[in-house]
Amino acid sequence: ALAALFALAAVGLGFAAFWLASELSSAQVRLARLESEVGRLEAAAKAERETLAAAVAELERQRDFVTARAALVFDLRPPGTSPQPTARGRLWVAADHQHWQLEVAGLAPTPAGREYQVWFLVDGLPYSGGSFAVTAGRGALVDAQMPAGTSGVALTLERAGGVPAPTTPRLLVGDSPVDL
């Protein structure tokens, strides 16, 4: 009887050990899956932190640019004939009269195959300052070159890639800079 009791206990312990081993294996699979998910989430969080850090750095650069002692600010307004009468913009020019930053708001989104183009006016003649797209009514452009003697700024909507001379009406114009 004692041997039968030990045999029954051994069979019971064997089943318990098998069940525990099965539970351990299942727990290890779940743990591996959770570790993989944690790794994926950490990588996503790191990528998001890097993206946000870059966005913050760009915003800080823009803030520093527009709050520094600038030489000029062109306030851009639509002329009376502009098809976008609610658009506005500002061109900030650094003290070196070379580095500049343009910010516009209220413009229609850029149509396919077109871009907004900035023109510097020197002695009444337009010189291209580059082209850019507008999304959600806002756009910006930054550069380190501006023609000497710039007395005004204009904005037109041209074909993508820009054109050598304006081919469309001016949407925004700034011809009286303010010294800061």
Side-chain angles (χ1 to χ4, degrees):
L2 192 56
L5 182 63
F6 280 130
L8 189 58
V11 168
L13 286 175
F15 279 123
F18 176 77
W19 179 78
L20 286 174
S22 173
E23 284 297 309
L24 178 60
S25 176
S26 176
Q28 287 173 333
V29 167
R30 284 193 312 270
L31 180 60
R33 194 171 50 242
L34 290 173
E35 286 174 340
S36 174
E37 180 68 11
V38 165
R40 187 188 66 75
L41 291 172
E42 286 175 341
K46 180 181 178 190
E48 186 174 359
R49 276 192 310 272
E50 290 170 355
T51 300
L52 290 173
V56 166
E58 175 60 17
L59 289 171
E60 287 174 343
R61 186 202 60 76
Q62 289 177 3
R63 181 209 57 213
D64 292 345
F65 191 94
V66 300
T67 58
R69 292 187 58 102
L72 299 171
V73 176
F74 287 90
D75 195 27
L76 294 127
R77 301 284 181 195
T81 59
S82 176
Q84 298 189 47
T86 61
R88 298 287 184 267
R90 286 220 167 98
L91 181 89
W92 305 86
V93 182
D96 66 4
H97 288 256
Q98 289 296 300
H99 292 80
W100 55 270
Q101 176 174 309
L102 172 71
E103 297 170 1
V104 295
L107 287 169
T110 309
R114 308 291 297 254
E115 288 181 319
Y116 289 96
Q117 191 164 350
V118 179
W119 300 98
F120 296 112
L121 306 175
V122 179
D123 295 327
L125 299 174
Y127 293 89
S128 178
S131 56
F132 63 99
V134 169
T135 56
R138 304 190 71 77
L141 187 62
V142 176
D143 201 348
Q145 297 298 315
M146 175 182 275
T150 297
S151 60
V153 181
L155 186 77
T156 60
L157 183 60
E158 305 292 350
R159 72 172 185 268
V163 295
T167 63
T168 62
R170 294 176 178 182
L171 301 172
L172 293 174
V173 177
D175 56 5
S176 53
V178 175
D179 287 318
L180 294 182

Short mmCIF file of all heavy atoms in Angstrom, two decimals, residues 59-70 72 91-96 98-102 142-143:
data_model
loop_
_atom_site.label_atom_id
_atom_site.label_comp_id
_atom_site.label_asym_id
_atom_site.label_seq_id
_atom_site.Cartn_x
_atom_site.Cartn_y
_atom_site.Cartn_z
N LEU A 59 12.48 75.52 -34.09
CA LEU A 59 11.68 76.61 -33.53
C LEU A 59 12.56 77.57 -32.71
O LEU A 59 12.36 78.80 -32.76
CB LEU A 59 10.55 76.06 -32.67
CG LEU A 59 9.42 75.38 -33.43
CD1 LEU A 59 8.47 74.68 -32.47
CD2 LEU A 59 8.67 76.39 -34.29
N GLU A 60 13.50 77.04 -31.97
CA GLU A 60 14.41 77.90 -31.21
C GLU A 60 15.27 78.73 -32.14
O GLU A 60 15.52 79.91 -31.88
CB GLU A 60 15.28 77.06 -30.28
CG GLU A 60 14.52 76.52 -29.09
CD GLU A 60 15.32 75.56 -28.23
OE1 GLU A 60 16.38 75.05 -28.70
OE2 GLU A 60 14.89 75.31 -27.09
N ARG A 61 15.74 78.13 -33.26
CA ARG A 61 16.52 78.88 -34.24
C ARG A 61 15.69 80.02 -34.82
O ARG A 61 16.15 81.15 -34.93
CB ARG A 61 17.01 77.96 -35.36
CG ARG A 61 17.95 78.68 -36.33
CD ARG A 61 18.02 78.00 -37.68
NE ARG A 61 16.78 77.92 -38.37
CZ ARG A 61 16.17 78.93 -39.01
NH1 ARG A 61 16.71 80.12 -39.02
NH2 ARG A 61 15.02 78.76 -39.63
N GLN A 62 14.44 79.72 -35.16
CA GLN A 62 13.56 80.76 -35.70
C GLN A 62 13.29 81.84 -34.66
O GLN A 62 13.31 83.03 -34.97
CB GLN A 62 12.23 80.15 -36.16
CG GLN A 62 12.36 79.31 -37.40
CD GLN A 62 11.04 78.66 -37.79
OE1 GLN A 62 10.01 78.87 -37.17
NE2 GLN A 62 11.08 77.86 -38.83
N ARG A 63 13.05 81.43 -33.41
CA ARG A 63 12.82 82.41 -32.33
C ARG A 63 14.03 83.30 -32.16
O ARG A 63 13.92 84.53 -32.06
CB ARG A 63 12.51 81.69 -31.03
CG ARG A 63 12.24 82.66 -29.87
CD ARG A 63 12.61 82.12 -28.50
NE ARG A 63 13.99 81.72 -28.45
CZ ARG A 63 14.44 80.72 -27.73
NH1 ARG A 63 13.63 79.98 -27.01
NH2 ARG A 63 15.73 80.42 -27.71
N ASP A 64 15.22 82.68 -32.11
CA ASP A 64 16.44 83.46 -31.94
C ASP A 64 16.64 84.44 -33.10
O ASP A 64 17.08 85.57 -32.90
CB ASP A 64 17.66 82.54 -31.83
CG ASP A 64 17.65 81.74 -30.53
OD1 ASP A 64 16.88 82.08 -29.62
OD2 ASP A 64 18.41 80.75 -30.46
N PHE A 65 16.28 83.99 -34.31
CA PHE A 65 16.44 84.84 -35.48
C PHE A 65 15.53 86.06 -35.39
O PHE A 65 15.97 87.19 -35.61
CB PHE A 65 16.13 84.05 -36.75
CG PHE A 65 16.52 84.76 -38.02
CD1 PHE A 65 17.74 84.53 -38.60
CD2 PHE A 65 15.67 85.67 -38.63
CE1 PHE A 65 18.12 85.17 -39.76
CE2 PHE A 65 16.04 86.33 -39.79
CZ PHE A 65 17.26 86.08 -40.36
N VAL A 66 14.25 85.84 -35.07
CA VAL A 66 13.31 86.96 -35.09
C VAL A 66 13.34 87.81 -33.82
O VAL A 66 12.80 88.92 -33.82
CB VAL A 66 11.85 86.50 -35.37
CG1 VAL A 66 11.77 85.82 -36.71
CG2 VAL A 66 11.31 85.62 -34.27
N THR A 67 13.99 87.31 -32.75
CA THR A 67 14.08 88.13 -31.55
C THR A 67 15.45 88.80 -31.41
O THR A 67 15.64 89.62 -30.52
CB THR A 67 13.79 87.30 -30.28
OG1 THR A 67 14.72 86.22 -30.21
CG2 THR A 67 12.36 86.79 -30.28
N ALA A 68 16.39 88.43 -32.27
CA ALA A 68 17.71 89.07 -32.25
C ALA A 68 17.57 90.49 -32.78
O ALA A 68 16.59 90.84 -33.42
CB ALA A 68 18.70 88.27 -33.10
N ARG A 69 18.58 91.28 -32.54
CA ARG A 69 18.58 92.64 -33.08
C ARG A 69 18.69 92.53 -34.59
O ARG A 69 19.76 92.32 -35.13
CB ARG A 69 19.71 93.45 -32.49
CG ARG A 69 19.51 93.73 -31.01
CD ARG A 69 20.55 94.67 -30.51
NE ARG A 69 20.53 95.91 -31.25
CZ ARG A 69 19.99 97.06 -30.81
NH1 ARG A 69 19.41 97.08 -29.65
NH2 ARG A 69 20.04 98.14 -31.54
N ALA A 70 17.57 92.64 -35.25
CA ALA A 70 17.54 92.54 -36.71
C ALA A 70 17.70 93.92 -37.31
O ALA A 70 17.42 94.93 -36.67
CB ALA A 70 16.22 91.92 -37.17
N LEU A 72 16.25 94.71 -40.43
CA LEU A 72 15.04 95.08 -41.16
C LEU A 72 13.95 94.03 -41.00
O LEU A 72 14.24 92.84 -40.86
CB LEU A 72 15.32 95.19 -42.66
CG LEU A 72 16.32 96.22 -43.13
CD1 LEU A 72 16.60 96.01 -44.61
CD2 LEU A 72 15.78 97.61 -42.89
N LEU A 91 9.18 89.23 -43.68
CA LEU A 91 10.53 88.84 -44.06
C LEU A 91 11.46 89.51 -43.05
O LEU A 91 11.53 90.73 -42.98
CB LEU A 91 10.88 89.29 -45.48
CG LEU A 91 12.28 88.88 -45.90
CD1 LEU A 91 12.22 87.49 -46.53
CD2 LEU A 91 12.88 89.87 -46.86
N TRP A 92 12.12 88.69 -42.26
CA TRP A 92 13.07 89.17 -41.26
C TRP A 92 14.46 89.13 -41.89
O TRP A 92 14.88 88.11 -42.41
CB TRP A 92 13.05 88.26 -40.03
CG TRP A 92 11.71 88.08 -39.42
CD1 TRP A 92 10.76 87.18 -39.77
CD2 TRP A 92 11.16 88.85 -38.36
NE1 TRP A 92 9.66 87.34 -38.98
CE2 TRP A 92 9.87 88.36 -38.11
CE3 TRP A 92 11.64 89.91 -37.59
CZ2 TRP A 92 9.05 88.87 -37.12
CZ3 TRP A 92 10.82 90.43 -36.60
CH2 TRP A 92 9.54 89.92 -36.37
N VAL A 93 15.18 90.23 -41.81
CA VAL A 93 16.52 90.34 -42.39
C VAL A 93 17.50 90.57 -41.24
O VAL A 93 17.34 91.51 -40.46
CB VAL A 93 16.61 91.50 -43.41
CG1 VAL A 93 18.00 91.55 -44.01
CG2 VAL A 93 15.54 91.35 -44.47
N ALA A 94 18.51 89.72 -41.16
CA ALA A 94 19.52 89.84 -40.10
C ALA A 94 20.34 91.10 -40.30
O ALA A 94 20.34 91.72 -41.36
CB ALA A 94 20.41 88.61 -40.08
N ALA A 95 21.08 91.45 -39.27
CA ALA A 95 21.89 92.66 -39.30
C ALA A 95 22.94 92.65 -40.40
O ALA A 95 23.36 93.70 -40.87
CB ALA A 95 22.56 92.88 -37.94
N ASP A 96 23.33 91.46 -40.87
CA ASP A 96 24.33 91.39 -41.94
C ASP A 96 23.71 91.67 -43.31
O ASP A 96 24.41 91.69 -44.32
CB ASP A 96 25.05 90.04 -41.94
CG ASP A 96 24.13 88.86 -42.28
OD1 ASP A 96 22.94 89.06 -42.60
OD2 ASP A 96 24.63 87.72 -42.21
N GLN A 98 22.13 89.84 -45.17
CA GLN A 98 22.25 88.68 -46.05
C GLN A 98 21.30 87.57 -45.61
O GLN A 98 20.55 87.07 -46.40
CB GLN A 98 23.69 88.14 -46.05
CG GLN A 98 24.65 89.06 -46.77
CD GLN A 98 24.33 89.17 -48.24
OE1 GLN A 98 24.32 88.19 -48.96
NE2 GLN A 98 24.02 90.37 -48.68
N HIS A 99 21.36 87.18 -44.34
CA HIS A 99 20.52 86.11 -43.83
C HIS A 99 19.09 86.63 -43.65
O HIS A 99 18.88 87.71 -43.13
CB HIS A 99 21.05 85.60 -42.49
CG HIS A 99 22.34 84.89 -42.62
ND1 HIS A 99 23.54 85.55 -42.72
CD2 HIS A 99 22.62 83.58 -42.68
CE1 HIS A 99 24.51 84.67 -42.83
NE2 HIS A 99 23.99 83.46 -42.81
N TRP A 100 18.14 85.84 -44.12
CA TRP A 100 16.75 86.26 -44.00
C TRP A 100 15.86 85.05 -43.77
O TRP A 100 16.24 83.91 -44.02
CB TRP A 100 16.29 87.04 -45.23
CG TRP A 100 16.49 86.31 -46.53
CD1 TRP A 100 17.60 86.35 -47.33
CD2 TRP A 100 15.57 85.43 -47.18
NE1 TRP A 100 17.43 85.55 -48.43
CE2 TRP A 100 16.18 84.98 -48.37
CE3 TRP A 100 14.29 84.99 -46.89
CZ2 TRP A 100 15.55 84.10 -49.24
CZ3 TRP A 100 13.66 84.12 -47.76
CH2 TRP A 100 14.29 83.69 -48.93
N GLN A 101 14.68 85.34 -43.26
CA GLN A 101 13.69 84.31 -42.96
C GLN A 101 12.32 84.86 -43.31
O GLN A 101 11.93 85.93 -42.86
CB GLN A 101 13.76 83.98 -41.47
CG GLN A 101 12.73 82.99 -40.99
CD GLN A 101 12.99 82.63 -39.54
OE1 GLN A 101 14.09 82.27 -39.16
NE2 GLN A 101 11.97 82.77 -38.73
N LEU A 102 11.58 84.12 -44.14
CA LEU A 102 10.25 84.52 -44.57
C LEU A 102 9.22 83.61 -43.92
O LEU A 102 9.39 82.40 -43.90
CB LEU A 102 10.13 84.40 -46.10
CG LEU A 102 8.72 84.60 -46.67
CD1 LEU A 102 8.29 86.06 -46.56
CD2 LEU A 102 8.66 84.12 -48.10
N VAL A 142 14.01 80.11 -45.67
CA VAL A 142 15.17 80.70 -45.01
C VAL A 142 16.33 80.63 -45.99
O VAL A 142 16.48 79.65 -46.71
CB VAL A 142 15.53 79.91 -43.73
CG1 VAL A 142 16.78 80.45 -43.09
CG2 VAL A 142 14.37 79.94 -42.74
N ASP A 143 17.18 81.65 -46.00
CA ASP A 143 18.36 81.63 -46.86
C ASP A 143 19.41 82.56 -46.29
O ASP A 143 19.13 83.38 -45.42
CB ASP A 143 18.01 82.04 -48.29
CG ASP A 143 19.03 81.55 -49.32
OD1 ASP A 143 20.12 81.08 -48.92
OD2 ASP A 143 18.73 81.63 -50.51
#
